[in-house]
Amino acid sequence: FEIAHRGTIFLDEISEMDIYGQVMLLRVIQEKQIRRIGDDRVIPIDVRIIAATNKSLIKLVEEKKFREDLYYRLNVLTLNIPPLRNRQTDIEYLMNYFIEDYNKKFYKYVTLTEAAIAEIKNYSWYGNVRHLKSFCERLVALANQNELDVAIIKRQLENELLPSHDS
């Protein structure tokens, strides 16, 4: 928070914060100040907070797992981003970006056939963008040829931990 003063701090997976951490965060938001551990000096802060979660915070509030007062402090503006598996047009764009990035990192020139791209777009990316990114990294890192076809993609998708298609 001290480093984010006069800027923005991103709190990912806010739903995983324990109750003690929620109390501390609520205090920081309300008082607009922090105190370093072991110090008695109060440091004023002015930060914008962006919090993210893939869980329903309102459900966690109902289950008494997330503080209601903190929920309302954080819930000023809500952006619901649908999962990647529901945004198929984004998959190809992101995949091309990641593959290009990993091509540079691994000094390769890996491309995909149209059928391979279609197979990737039809996969349900339960792990969302991070899942797709690590998949692209693995494709490029393991590639021993420049053009990857649908058979290679299918083999790699079979190695995924979660089911590949909605039932």
Side-chain angles (χ1 to χ4, degrees):
F1 277 91
E2 188 176 356
I3 294 170
H5 180 60
R6 294 197 174 136
T8 303
I9 189 166
F10 177 64
L11 304 176
D12 198 10
E13 300 298 345
I14 192 77
S15 60
E16 303 304 315
M17 182 179 278
D18 66 19
I19 294 296
Y20 178 74
Q22 292 176 38
V23 169
M24 300 297 290
L25 178 57
L26 185 61
R27 186 174 299 133
V28 168
I29 293 170
Q30 287 177 185
E31 297 175 9
K32 297 183 183 280
Q33 60 187 23
I34 60 169
R35 183 176 300 138
R36 289 183 184 167
I37 294 174
D39 198 348
D40 59 354
R41 185 173 60 102
V42 172
I43 302 167
I45 57 156
D46 176 22
V47 296
R48 176 179 29 250
I49 297 172
I50 297 175
T53 183
N54 62 357
K55 295 182 180 175
S56 168
L57 287 182
I58 199 70
K59 183 178 177 192
L60 292 175
V61 167
E62 290 167 359
E63 296 171 356
K64 306 289 187 215
K65 295 178 181 174
F66 198 85
R67 291 183 57 102
E68 185 175 9
D69 48 0
L70 178 58
Y71 171 78
Y72 287 113
R73 286 289 191 158
L74 293 173
N75 192 28
V76 175
L77 174 65
T78 301
L79 299 175
N80 291 312
I81 301 172
L84 185 58
R85 63 185 169 274
N86 295 341
R87 301 183 345 249
Q88 287 197 335
T89 55
D90 293 350
I91 292 172
E92 186 171 359
Y93 170 80
L94 291 166
M95 176 192 56
N96 287 334
Y97 174 81
F98 294 141
I99 288 177
E100 182 181 322
D101 191 46
Y102 289 119
N103 273 334
K104 291 175 187 171
K105 180 178 179 181
F106 298 125
Y107 303 102
K108 292 187 175 186
Y109 183 74
V110 173
T111 60
L112 298 148
T113 65
E114 289 299 318
I117 293 169
E119 188 69 23
I120 291 170
K121 286 172 68 173
N122 287 328
Y123 184 79
S124 291
W125 295 96
Y126 289 95
N128 235 328
V129 175
R130 291 180 188 129
H131 185 186
L132 176 63
K133 184 178 181 183
S134 67
F135 180 78
C136 291
E137 181 177 17
R138 183 171 64 237
L139 284 179
V140 175
L142 297 177
N144 55 10
Q145 59 197 61
N146 286 343
E147 187 176 69
L148 305 182
D149 62 18
V150 70
I152 293 169
I153 299 304
K154 283 183 177 182
R155 261 195 317 276
Q156 289 300 322
L157 289 174
E158 287 172 5
N159 294 328
E160 297 300 303
L161 297 174
L162 296 171
S164 62
H165 298 283
D166 294 328
S167 303

